[in-house]
Amino acid sequence: MSWRFKICSVEEMKWIDEEASKRGVDHLLLMEDAGTAVFNLVHRVFGVYGRRFLVVAGTGNNGGDALVAARRIYSYGGFVEVYIVGEPDRYREPARRNYEITSKLGVPLKILRSEEGLGDLEKSISLSDVIVVGLIGIGLKGEVKGLVRLVVEAINKSGKPVVSVDIASGIDGNNGLVRGVAVKSTYTVTFGLPKIGNVLYPGYYYCGKLYVSRLSYPPDLLGCDRIRVEFNTPLKPPERLKWGHKGSFGKLLVVAGARYYYGAPYYSSYSFLKAGGGYSRLAAPKSVIPVLASRCSEVVYHPMDETTEGSLSMGNYESILRIIDEHGVDIVVLGPGTSLNEETQELIRKLAGAINKPLLIDGDGLTAISKDPSIIKKRKAGTILTPHPLEFTRLTGVDLSDLREDPVGYIRRASQDLNSYIVLKGAHSLIANPDGRVYVNMTGNPGMAKAGMGDVLNGVITAMYGVGFRDLGEATRMGVLVHGLAGDLAAEEVGEDGVTPEAVMEYLPRAVKILRENPEYILEKYLPGEI
């Protein structure tokens, strides 16, 4: 995979730094490249000559990068003032050298050592047109406290445009978490590769519009297989056969629903057709079928026997397996809205172990499987699991706070352990493959945080399998991408608040059309810019 789509951890970026240094790309050169990249962004977006800039620098290498940017702004005729937050004696090479150069050039430079100087800083902030911030980079350790926290709060309160150096100060580069407080940036220029903290929320929010500069890093280091996190980029679907019939584009069986649970079976089965799938069947309790059939006549229904609570009974086990076999079903969705009835939960576990087709498990199906995950490990056909964070913790036993600290690591390990493709649903969902690769999906919006949205995702993922992505990992990735893209198209039309599962389904055909005909639109809209 090209370095263009890679994302790295803090540790991986430090490894790239050291390996590049061994080849003669030393840290002084990289710092000059980095500061120049920030300057180039400032020059491109705001212009420099005659404008007022404030550069706020810490005493680490992130501050050294900011000092290079200050020097370049000064050389191009910008009015620039620099504040060093902390003791300049703490600078080490190559940041020390850039501090000395900046001092000798005559750039107005002040040292902020205590709260007493905050008033002067606030005045400089008020007079500036643009603020460049290089307080803390990816070397952040612990929470932002004391004087640095006060500086960050003063910058955020100003409402001025902010350009951050590498990552918004205060954001953890490995997970996107805010460590106490973080700079709310308008733009961020990150170096080498985007860091995980640049692209996961809330870090992505604090970074603003993200740009990447490759500096002078060797491309083989940026693109090496050691780095196994990537953006979820569009893959062109196979062409629809002109002579194809409904069976040519996938046969789905959805096992879903219970009394009072109508949305899950409806959205899971119908969205398959809206996203391009060919033949959709639904096995649901017989009491809910009339309601669903009146709403959607395109799906083929299989009324199932019920428990006293109106959920699927164990007596349906053989019938469901027979439907899969006799009707040539290609892929199965199991579990949405099936309830927590004990008999039904046992049925789901039994079916999960017996179905010999690719299987997507969601919702109450995940709760059932979490009681005995070994069922999934033993499956020979491919498995897709689509948990939200709480479902993931039940499935794996991982504490939610630990998951937030290392989402990429935990989803990777779970995917390998369960031999399953896992979608950790949320803002910028993560998709993990059993081979250790993890993809960050950039489509979607907050309006999609509504009940029923995951059920639409079930149908879209299985539709991607039906239209020809017979690699289950690719089908999963494109399903997540298309689902989010349809949500974004809906939000553009009706606003985020009005985005419903029904609205997303209506935009699925347009989203698939973009994937087929204009994948560059997706790359340009959702991936970081290059500087």
Side-chain angles (χ1 to χ4, degrees):
M1 174 61 70
S2 166
W3 46 258
R4 184 183 177 196
F5 305 133
K6 296 272 191 174
I7 303 165
C8 72
S9 67
V10 170
E11 293 72 26
E12 287 165 342
M13 194 66 239
K14 290 179 178 178
W15 173 80
I16 291 171
D17 262 343
E18 293 308 312
E19 291 299 310
S21 180
K22 293 174 185 176
R23 303 188 194 183
V25 184
D26 63 29
H27 293 160
L28 181 62
L29 171 60
L30 291 172
M31 186 168 287
E32 188 69 24
D33 283 352
T36 300
V38 172
F39 163 78
N40 287 340
L41 185 281
V42 168
H43 190 262
R44 177 193 295 183
V45 174
F46 301 104
V48 169
Y49 184 80
R51 305 209 70 187
R52 292 187 173 275
F53 296 88
L54 175 65
V55 174
V56 182
T59 54
N61 284 337
N62 194 248
D65 298 336
L67 292 174
V68 173
R71 170 161 49 81
R72 298 298 307 274
I73 291 169
Y74 180 73
S75 296
Y76 266 69
F79 297 103
V80 60
E81 186 176 20
V82 174
Y83 269 81
I84 307 291
V85 181
E87 289 293 344
D89 289 348
R90 297 183 61 188
Y91 278 125
R92 296 179 298 175
E93 295 298 343
R96 175 179 295 279
R97 182 168 179 183
N98 278 296
Y99 168 67
E100 292 169 351
I101 294 171
T102 306
S103 302
K104 292 174 182 177
L105 278 178
V107 176
L109 191 152
K110 297 179 181 178
I111 312 300
L112 185 62
R113 295 184 172 93
S114 69
E115 295 180 28
E116 293 177 4
L118 280 173
D120 289 338
L121 173 66
E122 289 170 348
K123 182 177 180 181
S124 295
I125 289 173
S126 69
L127 294 174
S128 65
D129 296 316
V130 180
I131 307 170
V132 175
V133 181
L135 273 170
I136 316 167
I138 60 173
L140 170 68
K141 292 179 176 62
E143 287 208 350
V144 179
K145 296 185 288 189
L147 180 61
V148 176
R149 182 183 184 112
L150 294 174
V151 170
V152 171
E153 290 171 345
I155 292 167
N156 288 346
K157 187 171 63 176
S158 73
K160 294 295 179 78
V162 173
V163 178
S164 279
V165 177
D166 202 19
I167 194 166
S169 296
I171 294 296
D172 191 310
N174 279 331
N175 51 38
L177 294 179
V178 177
R179 297 304 189 190
V181 68
V183 171
K184 179 62 181 76
S185 316
T186 316
Y187 297 92
T188 295
V189 181
T190 195
F191 309 129
L193 295 173
K195 319 309 179 289
I196 294 168
N198 288 128
V199 298
L200 293 188
Y201 282 102
Y204 185 72
Y205 168 78
Y206 280 88
C207 282
K209 172 64 178 172
L210 184 63
Y211 285 83
V212 184
S213 176
R214 308 299 172 181
L215 309 188
S216 294
Y217 290 114
D220 63 296
L221 290 179
L222 299 179
C224 72
D225 197 54
R226 171 176 177 150
I227 299 166
R228 314 206 79 195
V229 181
E230 303 170 12
F231 287 105
N232 186 25
T233 52
L235 303 170
K236 191 173 179 62
E239 184 179 358
R240 290 184 77 92
L241 289 174
K242 298 295 186 278
W243 56 92
H245 52 83
K246 57 182 177 285
S248 304
F249 304 109
K251 298 177 183 178
L252 169 70
L253 174 66
V254 176
V255 181
R259 188 181 299 161
Y260 312 125
Y261 288 89
Y262 298 102
Y266 165 70
Y267 291 126
S268 294
S269 57
Y270 190 29
S271 60
F272 175 80
L273 300 176
K274 296 288 285 186
Y279 205 124
S280 182
R281 296 177 180 273
L282 173 63
K286 58 187 176 184
S287 64
V288 307
I289 295 290
V291 176
L292 297 174
S294 67
R295 191 173 183 186
C296 179
S297 58
E298 295 95 328
V299 171
V300 176
Y301 296 96
H302 296 274
M304 297 280 113
D305 292 335
E306 304 180 8
T307 65
T308 56
E309 295 179 8
S311 61
L312 293 164
S313 69
M314 182 61 76
N316 297 305
Y317 174 73
E318 295 291 345
S319 299
I320 291 171
L321 293 181
R322 189 162 53 250
I323 291 169
I324 293 170
D325 184 51
E326 291 180 356
H327 295 285
V329 169
D330 299 309
I331 190 166
V332 178
V333 172
L334 179 63
T338 50
S339 86
L340 300 180
N341 177 276
E342 282 300 324
E343 181 179 342
T344 306
Q345 291 269 293
E346 183 58 34
L347 171 65
I348 289 170
R349 285 189 286 271
K350 194 173 179 183
L351 285 170
I355 292 171
N356 62 356
K357 298 289 184 179
L359 177 64
L360 188 156
I361 304 176
D362 181 46
D364 295 327
L366 292 169
T367 301
I369 294 303
S370 67
K371 302 289 175 51
D372 187 6
S374 66
I375 295 169
I376 299 303
K377 298 178 185 181
K378 296 172 186 174
R379 280 180 44 81
K380 290 184 171 57
T383 308
I384 305 166
L385 309 174
T386 57
H388 56 60
L390 283 175
E391 289 169 335
F392 183 88
T393 62
R394 286 198 292 267
L395 188 65
T396 61
V398 174
D399 188 81
L400 187 59
S401 60
D402 291 335
L403 176 62
R404 288 175 180 145
E405 289 291 332
D406 186 17
V408 169
Y410 279 111
I411 190 177
R412 173 184 283 137
R413 289 187 287 273
S415 177
Q416 293 171 324
D417 180 52
L418 297 172
N419 193 31
S420 301
Y421 299 92
I422 300 181
V423 180
L424 183 61
K425 295 185 289 193
H428 289 182
S429 295
L430 297 177
I431 307 144
N433 287 9
D435 67 1
R437 295 194 181 276
V438 177
Y439 298 88
V440 180
N441 187 68
M442 304 297 283
T443 62
N445 62 81
M448 299 177 73
K450 294 191 174 98
M453 209 63 76
D455 303 309
V456 177
L457 176 62
N458 299 335
V460 183
I461 290 173
T462 51
M464 292 300 101
Y465 184 80
V467 302
F469 287 111
R470 289 311 166 107
D471 178 299
L472 210 57
E474 292 184 352
T476 303
R477 287 174 53 198
M478 292 306 98
V480 175
L481 186 150
V482 166
H483 177 252
L485 178 58
D488 289 341
L489 294 171
E492 288 174 9
E493 184 70 23
V494 302
E496 289 182 355
D497 295 296
V499 175
T500 62
E502 196 77 36
V504 172
M505 282 207 301
E506 290 307 307
Y507 280 90
L508 285 173
R510 192 177 302 179
V512 175
K513 186 173 188 287
I514 291 171
L515 181 66
R516 285 189 179 279
E517 299 178 3
N518 192 12
E520 284 298 322
Y521 165 84
I522 300 171
L523 294 175
E524 291 172 8
K525 181 175 176 65
Y526 293 102
L527 264 62
E530 299 277 346
I531 194 75

